Amino acid sequence: MSETSRTEVDDASFVERSQHDPEAFAEVFRRYAPDITRYVTRRLGSDATEDVVAETFLTAFRQRNGYDLSHQNARPWLYGIATNLMRRHLRTEVRQLRLLERTGVDPVTAWFTDRSDERLSAEAARRSLAGALASLPKGHRDALLLVAWGGLSYSETSEALGVRLGTVQSRINRARKRLRKELGEINPMATFSEESVYE
């Protein structure tokens, strides 16, 4: 599809234009940097976030000539790059989840919480969920958290991880079963209100 026939509403148009006008890639960054930052912060904590987010967009920029322009939404591509980069930080992620399990402090929401009884109850449940997430196999955790924390659909998660849709569905199903078993009566929706850990 030519640059002139594509509207500049979709991400692919900016990626395509950036192949000749590198500054056009700034729009992709503007659209997705806040979401990628929240996702990485939640998984790794604030110490590694800046580096991983910067490397995500630098990698995307370097690989923009190979981007499949039939994918109008760049979100799965960017989350896939971020997830791959986070593999280098596997120990950090597990440490972050164990820290959340011990303290109940979520690095994304910590600045906005009050200390009400309801909040304290959710914090205790959040700790249990963090411990359960830390014990999941990496592939299952990646799939589940791309959906729950990244807000990707199953098909977008499939695209982000470079695996079949059935594999994503299977990994998420197994992760949910394991979380249900480990958490018992705790409802993860009460701990991470914006996440869809269970459907």
Side-chain angles (χ1 to χ4, degrees):
M1 184 175 286
S2 75
E3 187 175 9
T4 55
S5 65
R6 183 190 296 279
T7 66
E8 292 204 349
V9 174
D10 62 40
D11 302 331
S13 64
F14 289 101
V15 174
E16 183 179 29
R17 195 164 61 128
S18 74
Q19 294 170 8
H20 308 288
D21 175 13
E23 290 182 14
F25 200 80
E27 178 61 19
V28 176
F29 178 85
R30 187 194 66 72
R31 289 178 179 190
Y32 296 108
D35 292 339
I36 298 289
T37 299
R38 277 190 297 277
Y39 175 69
V40 174
T41 301
R42 186 159 267 159
R43 290 195 65 175
L44 299 181
S46 57
D47 290 345
T49 298
E50 190 175 322
D51 289 342
V52 172
V53 172
E55 195 170 351
T56 296
F57 284 95
L58 181 60
T59 300
F61 182 78
R62 288 178 177 156
Q63 295 176 359
R64 71 193 188 281
N65 290 336
Y67 181 78
D68 182 349
L69 296 173
S70 69
H71 296 271
Q72 294 182 358
N73 185 341
R75 208 171 96 152
W77 177 56
L78 294 168
Y79 274 94
I81 292 170
T83 301
N84 285 333
L85 291 171
M86 283 190 289
R87 288 193 177 122
R88 296 183 200 159
H89 299 272
L90 178 59
R91 286 190 198 122
T92 303
E93 178 182 29
V94 172
R95 257 194 324 268
Q96 178 69 20
L97 287 168
R98 295 294 182 203
L99 178 67
L100 177 57
E101 178 183 24
R102 283 192 313 275
T103 66
V105 177
D106 182 330
V108 172
T109 61
W111 300 103
F112 307 105
T113 59
D114 59 23
R115 305 300 287 178
S116 67
D117 289 344
E118 183 179 304
R119 177 59 59 193
L120 291 174
S121 175
E123 189 174 288
R126 188 180 297 126
R127 290 177 184 187
S128 297
L129 178 58
L133 288 171
S135 71
L136 289 175
K138 176 85 169 87
H140 294 174
R141 189 168 57 241
D142 284 344
L144 183 70
L145 295 182
L146 280 167
V147 171
W149 289 351
L152 272 63
S153 68
Y154 281 29
S155 61
E156 288 173 327
T157 299
S158 169
E159 185 181 334
L161 296 176
V163 298
R164 292 180 311 124
L165 179 60
T167 301
V168 168
Q169 292 167 330
S170 174
R171 287 178 182 177
I172 291 176
N173 185 44
R174 288 179 183 162
R176 285 182 174 149
K177 283 181 181 175
R178 187 161 168 181
L179 290 179
R180 282 188 187 107
K181 182 178 177 184
E182 290 190 29
L183 297 174
E185 296 302 312
I186 295 174
N187 177 4
M189 293 306 290
T191 63
F192 295 108
S193 59
E194 72 272 33
E195 288 84 44
S196 54
V197 174
Y198 291 145
E199 288 185 339

